[in-house]
């Protein structure tokens, strides 16, 4: 029940950060996740509470702290983004036609020998001739754009300032299962599962491995605190760096996972408390930067409109296939070999493979672009002739 409650509380908060922040999204996400480092420093405080009030009293104090999440949730406000709106060409032109000609039968009859209610003169005739030439040129351009792209928002804004565009909210689902067929989502999720697999192995078995090196229990637990502190600093600094835009976030993702892989490879040769400290600090810098970059990479790759479903599915599969399975598998390897070397080698392999998987984002992105272009072409062929007729009429009136 506790795990379900934390999941229901954390996921909406993280997705709200992705929706509310754009320019400094990475830094905002790093700040929100930096509290996770405090987990490693809560152990002595919780022990003090247990000694003072018993374990029941300690849980009551924790429950009181968690109730403050309600105050935070009351501050959330819904936000409608432009990415969640779509331009409706049919309604745009229909509403414009109704506003221009609300009652076609009520229009006054023009006087004999006049055009649109005005008597022609030589100046008007000459302007009409030049106007016809402009209309023909504009008509060709508009027809070409309609054939290629359909009636788009930019077409209306560029050529028909009198027409007010109409927008509608895009249809959305609580859980968009179509993402499971999206190759971009598959790449991001596979990367997250493998990285989480290796990361969970490191956190769960690090202390036990240190004890086998005759490092005392206090010092062994201190190694986790070093990772937590390094992660907090890395999340804040890497978030500020990512927002500068010098390097794409997905490339930074590769770099951060590579740092974790290098640290794990060097950690295989660590045999003292000092060398383990260096390994933990380096690993914490890589893992903290990686954690702070997961949400921004998901937004960049799959878009803000699908963030809730995409991020939710990513965390579900990474928790189920990575965090839940990783430590038992590593424990089974230790039972078979009586050494944690093979377990941490497995973590290293996961980091390497997950980093290489991100290069599949390039062909997956190309595939999705081609698919969207094919869908757009299909919609363009179904463009209603009445829509083009209204546009042509509007051009004649403007001329």
């Amino acid at each position: 029940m506790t795990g379900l409650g934390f999941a229901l509380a954390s996921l909406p908060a993280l997705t709200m950060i992705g929706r509310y922040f754009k320019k400094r999204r990475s830094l905002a996400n790093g700040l929100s996740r930096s509290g996770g480092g405090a987990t490693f420093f809560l152990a002595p405080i919780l022990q003090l509470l247990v000694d003072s009030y018993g374990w029941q009293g300690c849980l009551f104090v924790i429950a009181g702290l968690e109730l403050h999440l309600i105050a935070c949730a009351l501050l959330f406000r819904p936000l409608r983004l432009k990415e969640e709106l779509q331009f409706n060409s049919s309604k745009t032109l229909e509403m414009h036609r109704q506003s221009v000609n609300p009652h076609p039968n009520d229009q006054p009859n023009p006087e004999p020998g006049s055009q649109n209610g005005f008597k022609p003169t030589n100046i008007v005739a000459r302007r009409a001739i030049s106007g016809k030439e402009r209309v023909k040129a504009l008509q060709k351009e508009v027809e070409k754009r309609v054939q290629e792209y359909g009636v788009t928002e930019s077409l209306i804004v560029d050529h028909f300032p009198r027409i007010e565009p109409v927008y509608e909210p895009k249809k959305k689902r609580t859980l968009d299962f179509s993402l499971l067929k999206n190759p971009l989502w598959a790449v991001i999720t596979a990367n997250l599962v493998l990285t989480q697999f290796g990361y969970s192995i490191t956190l769960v078995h690090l202390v036990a491995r240190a004890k086998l090196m005759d490092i005392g229990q206090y010092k062994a637990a201190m190694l986790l605190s070093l990772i937590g502190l390094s992660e907090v600093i890395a999340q804040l600094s890497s978030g500020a760096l990512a927002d500068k835009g010098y390097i794409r976030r997905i490339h930074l993702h590769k770099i951060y996972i590579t740092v974790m892989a290098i640290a794990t490879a060097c950690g295989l040769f660590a045999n003292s408390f000092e060398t383990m400290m260096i390994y933990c600090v380096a690993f914490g810098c890589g893992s903290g930067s990686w954690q702070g970059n997961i949400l921004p990479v998901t937004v960049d790759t799959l878009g803000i409109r699908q963030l809730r479903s995409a991020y939710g599915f990513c965390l579900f599969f990474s928790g189920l296939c990575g965090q839940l399975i990783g430590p038992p598998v590593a424990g089974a390897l230790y039972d078979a070999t009586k050494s944690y070397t093979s377990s941490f080698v497995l973590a290293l392999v996961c980091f390497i493979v997950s980093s290489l998987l991100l290069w599949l984002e390039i062909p997956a992105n190309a595939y999705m672009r081609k698919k969207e272009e094919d869908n757009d072409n299909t919609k363009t062929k179904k463009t209603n002739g009445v829509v083009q007729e209204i546009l042509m009429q509007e051009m004649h009136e403007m001329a």
Side-chain angles (χ1 to χ4, degrees):
M1 290 179 65
T2 303
L4 178 63
F6 281 138
L8 294 175
S10 61
L11 185 59
L14 290 172
T15 53
M16 289 287 280
I17 290 172
R19 291 169 60 81
Y20 264 89
F21 292 88
K22 183 175 182 181
K23 185 177 180 181
R24 294 183 175 87
R25 181 177 289 147
S26 295
L27 179 59
N29 186 59
L31 283 168
S32 71
R33 298 188 64 95
S34 60
T39 303
F40 300 103
F41 304 101
L42 281 175
I45 298 176
L46 296 179
Q47 187 61 49
L48 178 63
L49 291 174
V50 170
D51 295 340
S52 302
Y53 306 107
W55 67 267
Q56 295 96 333
C58 177
L59 287 178
F60 271 117
V61 173
I62 294 173
L65 292 174
E66 291 168 357
L67 279 176
H68 287 76
L69 290 173
I70 297 176
C72 297
L74 290 174
L75 298 176
F76 287 170
R77 289 294 181 271
L79 184 68
R80 175 158 287 177
L81 303 177
K82 186 178 179 182
E83 291 86 346
E84 296 178 322
L85 299 175
Q86 60 183 357
F87 170 69
N88 191 315
S89 59
S90 301
K91 283 193 175 181
T92 296
L93 298 174
E94 181 64 27
M95 291 187 67
H96 175 69
R97 183 169 58 178
Q98 292 177 1
S99 63
V100 174
N101 299 317
H103 300 288
N105 296 331
D106 295 341
Q107 292 183 358
N109 295 324
E111 297 180 9
S114 66
Q115 294 179 353
N116 296 327
F118 293 94
K119 293 182 179 180
T121 62
N122 292 334
I123 297 176
V124 173
R126 287 197 296 270
R127 288 179 178 174
I129 294 173
S130 61
K132 288 180 179 179
E133 294 176 353
R134 293 206 320 272
V135 167
K136 288 181 179 179
L138 186 58
Q139 183 176 355
K140 290 182 180 179
E141 180 183 350
V142 170
E143 286 179 348
K144 182 179 179 181
R145 289 183 63 172
V146 170
Q147 290 175 359
E148 291 182 357
Y149 308 107
V151 180
T152 60
E153 177 186 4
S154 60
L155 177 67
I156 298 296
V157 173
D158 293 344
H159 296 292
F160 305 99
R162 296 201 309 169
I163 300 179
E164 185 70 22
V166 175
Y167 301 92
E168 288 184 335
K170 294 180 180 178
K171 294 181 179 180
K172 58 182 180 181
R173 304 171 182 172
T174 304
L175 287 176
D176 188 0
F177 288 97
S178 64
L179 279 168
L180 301 179
K181 299 184 292 185
N182 189 325
L184 281 171
W185 175 85
V187 169
I188 296 299
T189 303
N191 167 266
L192 185 58
V193 167
L194 287 173
T195 309
Q196 186 66 56
F197 194 98
Y199 177 73
S200 60
I201 289 176
T202 302
L203 287 191
V204 172
H205 295 288
L206 178 66
V207 174
R209 181 188 169 198
K211 289 179 179 179
L212 290 179
M213 299 178 186
D214 294 330
I215 297 175
Q217 183 173 355
Y218 174 77
K219 287 185 176 181
M222 185 179 175
L223 294 175
L224 283 180
S225 298
L226 283 175
I227 292 179
L229 183 61
S230 302
E231 285 182 348
V232 171
I233 298 173
Q235 284 171 353
L236 299 178
S237 58
S238 64
L241 173 64
D243 289 331
K244 296 293 183 181
Y246 300 135
I247 307 175
R248 286 183 62 198
R249 289 189 179 98
I250 196 164
H251 295 324
L252 288 174
H253 220 48
K254 301 170 187 173
I255 294 173
Y256 299 149
I257 297 174
T258 302
V259 170
M260 296 169 67
I262 294 174
T264 303
C266 296
L268 292 173
F269 301 98
N271 54 10
S272 64
F273 177 68
E274 290 74 17
T275 54
M276 287 292 287
M277 286 179 61
I278 297 173
Y279 155 60
C280 289
V281 170
F283 183 85
C285 290
S287 61
S289 302
W290 161 71
Q291 291 175 17
N293 204 43
I294 295 172
L295 179 67
V297 165
T298 306
V299 176
D300 292 349
T301 308
L302 299 169
I304 194 69
R305 190 170 67 90
Q306 294 180 306
L307 175 61
R308 282 172 288 195
S309 293
Y311 196 56
F313 279 130
C314 283
L315 293 182
F316 171 76
F317 284 105
S318 67
L320 182 65
C321 304
Q323 194 171 5
L324 189 63
I325 298 177
V329 171
L333 287 175
Y334 171 78
D335 290 337
T337 61
K338 302 303 178 183
S339 172
Y340 279 109
T341 300
S342 56
S343 301
F344 281 79
V345 167
L346 176 62
L348 172 61
V349 172
C350 289
F351 294 142
I352 295 174
V353 175
S354 66
S355 181
L356 294 176
L357 270 177
L358 288 177
W359 290 102
L360 294 177
E361 176 259 348
I362 299 175
N365 204 11
Y367 170 80
M368 291 303 297
R369 278 201 305 266
K370 185 178 183 302
K371 187 177 180 180
E372 290 176 0
E373 290 175 0
D374 293 339
N375 291 336
D376 291 340
N377 292 335
T378 303
K379 292 179 181 178
T380 301
K381 292 177 182 179
K382 297 179 180 179
T383 302
N384 195 339
V386 177
V387 170
Q388 298 187 41
E389 181 181 346
I390 296 174
L391 293 180
M392 297 304 110
Q393 181 181 358
E394 180 69 18
M395 284 190 297
H396 281 283
E397 292 179 0
M398 290 171 58

